[in-house]
Each structure stands twice: as C-alpha cells, then as structure tokens.
Amino acid sequence: MKRRDEEEFMTFASARSAPLFRSACLLTGGDVHLAEDLVQDTLGRMYAGWHKISTIDNPAAYTHTVLVRTFLSHRRRRSSSEQPTDALPDTGAASAYDPALRVTLLEALGRLSARDRAVLLLRFWEDRSVEQTAAILEIRPGAVRNQSMRALARIRDILGRDLSELVSS
C-alpha cells in the first residue's frame, strides 16, 4: 500500500472506529470484547482492499455492511469454547442516559437471534431503509419487513407490553 493510501486509510479508520464499535456492541448484545474483535476484523478487511474501496461513493456505509456480514458469519461459524453469561461486563464511563434502561435493552437484544439483532440495528439504530437493509443482508425487502415486525414483537414480549415503566422520568 502506498504511503498516501495508508495515511488516508488511517484517517478513515480513526473517524469510523467509534461508530463501528457502537454498532458492533448492539449487534453482539453488549459483548464489548466480541465487538472489538468484529471492528478489528472489519477494519482489517477494509485495509486489505483499501485501494479499491476508497474509490466507491460511500466507504463508510460499505464498512457497516462489512461489519454486519462479519458478525453474521461469526455467528454461523462460532466454534470457540466461549460460553455466554447472564451478566454484562462493567462499561466504565458514566452515561447521561439511564443505565438500568440501557442494560435492560442490551439484555433484551442479547436474547434475540443474530439475524433479528442485525435487522433491528440496521433499521432503527442506523436508520437504514428497508431496501438498504435488504441489500446489506442479501434478502428481499419483504423479508426485512417481516423480520423487523417479528423482532420488534419479540422485544416487546421480552420487555413486557408496558414499556413506560422501563423509562425513568
């Protein structure tokens, strides 16, 4: 890789690391270690093909596509001996948001399938259209709509129908 390309990639990676990490945390249900691994894998893939990737219209969107696909392939090939636990690790920094609500939502997302989490993340966290989500996941738009509806119903079942009690005033 040429020095100019390498510097350009480093600038891009620095700017996109935090948004990628946030998305990866949501995909993994709050598993920050797996989220870090996914971001590193994604950035490694981006680095390997940066010469071609840097010429596309929106490399940031492509990077999120690579992240989601990396997550889904990781879930399919999960052959490690790691076992999920019911406790979330300490996050460290204090948040301006309600921490109990955040933990509740992350636990609820963690109980969904990988595909359901990916659909919810793309549609509602990243505010992608049905068509964009379908393209990223390589499924039909109708399947995205159905899966979104089912995933939201599962979240409601997990959290209970009266969500107002989860939100603190």
Side-chain angles (χ1 to χ4, degrees):
M1 182 180 282
K2 295 180 184 176
R3 182 166 176 79
R4 185 179 70 74
D5 286 341
E6 191 167 317
E7 289 173 0
E8 186 179 300
F9 173 78
M10 293 303 291
T11 302
F12 174 82
S14 296
R16 298 306 309 159
S17 292
L20 284 172
F21 180 71
R22 285 190 300 272
S23 294
C25 282
L26 290 171
L27 284 170
T28 62
D31 183 345
V32 294
H33 301 292
L34 178 56
E36 289 171 346
D37 292 344
L38 289 173
V39 170
Q40 288 301 315
D41 286 348
T42 299
L43 290 176
R45 291 174 188 199
M46 296 299 291
Y47 180 80
W50 184 249
H51 181 70
K52 289 182 181 179
I53 294 168
S54 65
T55 63
I56 63 176
D57 289 337
N58 192 350
Y62 180 73
T63 304
H64 276 275
T65 300
V66 171
L67 175 71
V68 171
R69 289 182 181 166
T70 301
F71 167 71
L72 292 173
S73 71
H74 168 77
R75 298 296 294 185
R76 280 192 297 268
R77 65 178 162 75
R78 188 173 188 186
S79 60
S80 69
S81 61
E82 293 179 13
Q83 296 296 318
T85 65
D86 60 349
L88 292 173
D90 292 335
T91 57
S95 173
Y97 303 105
D98 182 7
L101 176 61
R102 182 179 177 88
V103 169
T104 301
L105 291 174
L106 285 174
E107 286 175 352
L109 282 171
R111 292 174 60 188
L112 296 177
S113 70
R115 178 72 78 173
D116 286 346
R117 280 193 304 252
V119 167
L120 291 180
L121 170 86
L122 291 169
R123 287 285 294 128
F124 302 108
W125 179 260
E126 293 186 4
D127 199 26
R128 303 238 182 175
S129 70
V130 170
E131 291 75 21
Q132 290 170 328
T133 302
I136 290 170
L137 297 176
E138 298 177 330
I139 58 178
R140 292 186 323 269
V144 170
R145 286 185 203 92
N146 288 337
Q147 202 158 2
S148 295
M149 199 169 50
R150 285 190 207 122
L152 287 173
R154 286 187 193 112
I155 284 283
R156 287 184 191 105
D157 288 342
I158 292 167
L159 296 175
R161 292 290 174 189
D162 187 13
L163 299 179
S164 63
E165 65 190 38
L166 294 174
V167 181
S168 61
S169 308

